[in-house]
Amino acid sequence: YYEEYPSLRFVLEPEEYDDQEAVEMQTSTGDMATYVRWGKISFDVDAETAVLTLYKDVDGDDYFLPFADATSGAETYGAGRYLDTEVLPDGKLLVDFNYAYNPYCAYNEQWSCPLTPFENRLQVPIRAGEKVFK
């Protein structure tokens, strides 16, 4: 794991998309997983603005936030990492990259994990959370 970086912990107002749609994400085993493309969050890292799309399970209310960044494939798992968000009482989201984690397929190829969509591949490095598994 990286050292904890308080600067990679954000309280953000999510921006809900008007045109939410169901999308298919390919998984690590070649299957497809369906999610609702719900909205987005924006934040600054190293003086650059980053934007990530929030997804929701078609049958649930929890957000699904897969992402890849400039560390993916070298310092962190190549297919990206996942991040759980917390909805705060005022509707904002607690987004703490210090808790970014590898999907199960990083440890066992029999797991079927959704792959990070292109729109959630950041050019900036997110040096927080779990590193690559060796």
Side-chain angles (χ1 to χ4, degrees):
Y1 289 86
Y2 288 100
E3 297 275 334
E4 184 174 348
Y5 289 102
S7 64
L8 290 172
R9 182 180 191 267
F10 302 95
V11 174
L12 303 170
E13 182 126 15
E15 183 181 328
E16 189 172 351
Y17 291 140
D18 291 331
D19 58 342
Q20 294 177 3
E21 60 182 337
V23 294
E24 299 286 323
M25 286 186 203
Q26 185 173 345
T27 71
S28 56
T29 58
D31 296 327
M32 299 302 278
T34 304
Y35 290 90
V36 174
R37 192 172 174 271
W38 184 86
K40 67 181 178 180
I41 53 172
S42 301
F43 54 95
D44 291 332
V45 176
D46 295 333
E48 289 188 45
T49 299
V51 178
L52 289 173
T53 297
L54 293 165
Y55 300 90
K56 281 191 174 185
D57 188 77
V58 292
D59 297 322
D61 289 326
D62 292 331
Y63 294 107
F64 176 53
L65 186 55
F67 74 96
D69 63 284
T71 69
S72 298
E75 299 172 36
T76 62
Y77 185 57
R81 294 177 285 164
Y82 296 165
L83 185 61
D84 296 328
T85 61
E86 179 183 342
V87 179
L88 302 174
D90 63 1
K92 292 183 180 177
L93 293 181
L94 175 60
V95 179
D96 191 342
F97 286 97
N98 293 289
Y99 292 99
Y101 60 93
N102 294 330
Y104 291 131
C105 53
Y107 307 105
N108 184 330
E109 63 188 32
Q110 293 180 353
W111 283 94
S112 184
C113 303
L115 301 175
T116 302
F118 181 75
E119 65 188 346
N120 276 14
R121 295 182 179 273
L122 302 174
Q123 298 301 309
V124 296
I126 303 290
R127 289 191 170 93
E130 193 169 7
K131 292 182 177 181
V132 71
F133 175 73
K134 298 184 188 224

